[in-house]
Amino acid sequence: MDDSTHGLDDKDVEHAVKKVKLNKSTIAMIERKRQNAILLRESRLQCRPTTTNIQPIYVSTSSSCEQSKNNAGISLKKEDSDLTDLLSTVNCRECNICCNASYLHEKFGESVCDECRDKDKDQFKLISKTDAKNEFVLKDCDFDSREPPLKFVTAPNPHNRKGGFMKLYLQGQVYERACEVHGGDEGIDKAILQRSKNREAFVQRKMVKKLSELRNSSKPRQIKETHVHEFGAEIYHKDDDEYSHCCKSCGYTEHYEKL
């Protein structure tokens, strides 16, 4: 495989770059990928055996020949795709310039260049997962399990430096997911209202429980007085050779012996 059949020379790349309005970072990225593709092609050509080093191989079946043809076709398609990716550009939806190397395109798949992102930071600001759950009434499954999962970046937690990293999402994508879950802005407002009602009911139940505990603790405890028997005169029972006496107040009779 030579440059004339499966390659792009410098003139083709420069002609394609002139057709599209590119910034310096995108041009540098395209040049870097082009050089990597050239090095990859040269390394494959160097590893290819020459006619003097080829030794005859006897194959009993035709399956190995078909497999080698398939592998060769796959390698050609892969190399062609690598070369075509050099000229595949994504334009910014705000200013229509190339944004292949922009932060939002690489991290979140949004067609927005870095300049437009810096101009309107409120529109493309990031939000933590905790704040997103509180603001849009979402659950963990809405971020990770629902298709497609929302993309995020990690950053150190400013409230807990020793803890783990926090997840940051693009607020616009979180808003779209909330509209999908709750059915639009009205559904989000209803979910927020229902959550506030549930919180008020929980606080009310907790207050009633605490008041009942205070009432029970403020009641005076009834102290039971211990009964002391007041026995009368003792009586001797000659048949059993024992004595007994009876309590004057409760009627309890105690039997005992004397030594």
Side-chain angles (χ1 to χ4, degrees):
M1 180 175 57
D2 52 7
D3 295 343
S4 61
T5 57
H6 297 285
L8 293 176
D9 54 7
D10 297 339
K11 293 182 180 180
D12 295 334
V13 176
E14 292 177 359
H15 181 67
V17 169
K18 289 179 180 179
K19 288 184 177 180
V20 185
K21 186 180 179 181
L22 304 176
N23 51 21
K24 294 182 179 180
S25 60
T26 305
I27 294 174
M29 181 192 66
I30 293 175
E31 180 62 23
R32 185 171 60 254
K33 288 187 177 181
R34 190 179 71 86
Q35 295 295 335
N36 291 336
I38 293 173
L39 293 176
L40 178 62
R41 184 170 62 248
E42 291 178 354
S43 63
R44 288 178 179 175
L45 291 175
Q46 291 176 1
C47 294
R48 186 174 297 174
T50 60
T51 56
T52 58
N53 297 328
I54 296 177
Q55 296 180 358
I57 300 175
Y58 300 97
V59 181
S60 59
T61 60
S62 61
S63 61
S64 60
C65 296
E66 294 177 356
Q67 185 177 2
S68 62
K69 290 180 181 179
N70 295 332
N71 294 334
I74 293 172
S75 63
L76 290 176
K77 291 180 180 179
K78 184 177 180 181
E79 186 173 355
D80 291 340
S81 63
D82 293 339
L83 295 175
T84 53
D85 289 341
L86 297 174
L87 298 178
S88 62
T89 58
V90 178
N91 294 332
C92 176
R93 68 190 183 200
E94 301 292 333
C95 62
N96 202 28
I97 67 171
C98 182
C99 61
N100 289 60
S102 66
Y103 178 80
L104 293 179
H105 179 68
E106 291 182 353
K107 301 298 183 182
F108 299 98
E110 291 288 334
S111 301
V112 179
C113 64
D114 293 334
E115 296 178 359
C116 295
R117 173 174 173 261
D118 295 336
K119 289 179 182 178
D120 193 357
K121 292 185 178 180
D122 294 335
Q123 183 180 359
F124 306 107
K125 70 177 181 179
L126 303 180
I127 184 172
S128 65
K129 189 174 185 179
T130 303
D131 295 339
K133 290 167 63 177
N134 294 332
E135 184 174 349
F136 297 102
V137 196
L138 294 175
K139 301 178 181 178
D140 292 331
C141 60
D142 297 327
F143 292 86
D144 306 326
S145 301
R146 189 181 290 269
E147 294 293 336
L150 294 180
K151 296 182 179 180
F152 62 90
V153 294
T154 57
N157 192 342
H159 304 290
N160 187 9
R161 294 290 183 181
K162 297 182 180 179
F165 288 84
M166 64 178 182
K167 295 181 179 180
L168 298 177
Y169 295 84
L170 193 62
Q171 187 170 357
Q173 294 181 351
V174 176
Y175 171 73
E176 293 177 358
R177 179 56 55 87
C179 292
E180 180 184 349
V181 173
H182 301 296
D185 294 335
E186 295 182 359
I188 296 175
D189 296 337
K190 289 181 181 179
I192 294 174
L193 182 61
Q194 184 64 34
R195 183 182 61 184
S196 63
K197 289 181 180 179
N198 295 338
R199 287 180 178 177
E200 290 177 0
F202 174 75
V203 172
Q204 188 69 21
R205 290 195 302 269
K206 191 174 182 179
M207 187 178 297
V208 171
K209 183 179 180 181
K210 194 170 184 179
L211 287 175
S212 62
E213 291 177 355
L214 289 174
R215 289 194 189 101
N216 294 331
S217 62
S218 61
K219 289 181 179 179
R221 295 181 180 179
Q222 297 179 357
I223 301 174
K224 295 182 180 180
E225 296 179 357
T226 57
H227 174 68
V228 179
H229 295 295
E230 184 180 355
F231 295 104
E234 64 180 10
I235 301 173
Y236 175 70
H237 302 279
K238 187 176 181 182
D239 297 337
D240 298 330
D241 193 19
E242 63 179 10
Y243 295 87
S244 67
H245 53 193
C246 181
C247 179
K248 296 179 180 180
S249 58
C250 66
Y252 171 72
T253 301
E254 182 181 23
H255 298 270
Y256 55 95
E257 295 179 354
K258 288 185 178 181
L259 297 178

